[in-house]
Amino acid sequence: MITYSVIIPIYNEEAVLHETYRRLKQVMSHTSESYELLFVNDGSQDRSGAIIKEISAWDETVKLINFSRNFGHQIAITAGMDYASGEAIIVIDADLQDPPELILEMISKWQEGYDVVYAKRLERKGETFFKKQTARLFYRVLRVATDISIPLDTGDFRLIDRKVCDEMKRLPEKSRFVRGLVSWVGFRQTAVEYVRDERLAGETKYSLQKMIKLSMDGLTSFSFKPLKLAGYAGGLLSLSSLLYLAVVLYFKLFDGKAIAGWHLLAILQLFLTGFMLVMFGMLGEYIGRIYDEARDRPLYIVRECYGLEKKAKKLKGIG
Ligand code: UDP
Ligand code: MG
């Protein structure tokens, strides 16, 4: 029985992997219990997979899951949770922005009896102004928009207990916003605080496009408020157009003025068309997700595994 599973999603991280491995080993050697380092290679095009494969040949604590292509960070974490066999599961980024040393603090909270220990960022170093501000805004919008409380400024760096992991595995949804799901399943949760370091090497693997997808997943998976908002705004707009009609009729009937309204109409026409398009866009987001669920495709396809028994068929993916 393994006590700790450390899940490390990797996407083109060859520049940092040796150091990540070294730091993780160093930290985990402080625990007397057994552990595994489970690397999920999310379709890297560089030598990331080969590096971990080499290490796994002589270090049996190192395990590797190779995806058949890039499925995304959140799916890689999900796969890690499916394959992890530890009593406590720790998710950490490969780029050492999340200091591995914090794992020991998380473990001691877990030993105190907490089921989820998430790492809260006090400060983010070495990231662009744009990234910091959009991330800040995102967590605040998420807080206002959702009914469950997703803690502010926490990423996926966290420890979860086996029972939380098992509950997460029962959630069938395809648009996975892991930190939201962890909040959703509940149990005893607590935080440890840290300062987020700079990336050790390489550059961010989260393109703007991936960031937008992540935030849309977070928002639409946990909130219907955007849909309602469109409804409210639409209602308000219809009411104001009635008011507008009343004003025009008033001038026509009681003042006898002719209203040269064609340019007003043109503006209104444009405005309404724009508004309807926004609403269609909103609907599209949800319909797209319904489509995703209805298709019921496996979340990921594993190409090969090292150091793991073959148990893929029981899991969500097909291997
Ligand atoms: N990652 C991944 N798949 C992706 C993008 C990123 O597995 O499609 C991994 C990446 O290797 C890293 C973690 O997710 O371990 C976080 O990514 P990154 O550090 O680039 O994001 P940032 O810290 O800039 O938000
Ligand atoms: Mg990073």
Side-chain angles (χ1 to χ4, degrees), residues 264-290:
L264 265 180
L265 279 178
I267 290 168
L268 199 67
Q269 167 86 9
L270 277 177
F271 185 69
L272 285 177
T273 313
F275 179 73
M276 277 193 286
L277 284 178
V278 170
M279 277 191 54
F280 278 140
M282 231 25 249
L283 283 178
E285 285 289 336
Y286 285 93
I287 292 171
R289 282 167 175 76
I290 294 170

Side-chain angles (χ1 to χ4, degrees), residues 7-11 40-45 67-80 156 174 176 178 205-207 210-211 213-214 217 299-301:
I7 299 174
I8 312 111
I10 48 175
Y11 180 53
V40 185
N41 176 17
D42 185 11
S44 302
Q45 288 100 29
F67 277 1
S68 58
R69 63 167 171 84
N70 180 240
F71 282 88
H73 179 210
Q74 301 292 303
I75 304 297
I77 294 175
T78 305
D156 288 306
K174 305 284 186 284
R176 293 185 88 84
V178 175
K205 306 301 180 301
Y206 255 96
S207 56
K210 280 181 179 169
M211 261 163 64
K213 174 158 174 19
L214 182 74
D217 277 347
L299 271 180
Y300 53 85
I301 302 163

Side-chain angles (χ1 to χ4, degrees), residues 31 59 82 93 129 140 157 163 189 196 214 302 313:
T31 68
D59 183 346
D82 282 345
D93 282 0
F129 180 77
R140 270 126 198 107
F157 183 26
K163 56 181 175 285
Q189 312 213 353
R196 190 164 162 92
L214 182 74
V302 174
K313 288 209 174 63

Side-chain angles (χ1 to χ4, degrees), residues 6-17:
V6 184
I7 299 174
I8 312 111
I10 48 175
Y11 180 53
N12 296 341
E13 300 284 8
E14 64 181 3
V16 298
L17 277 181

Side-chain angles (χ1 to χ4, degrees), residues 231-245:
Y232 290 142
L236 217 66
L237 219 71
S238 307
L239 272 178
S240 62
S241 72
L242 277 180
L243 202 73
Y244 179 50
L245 188 72

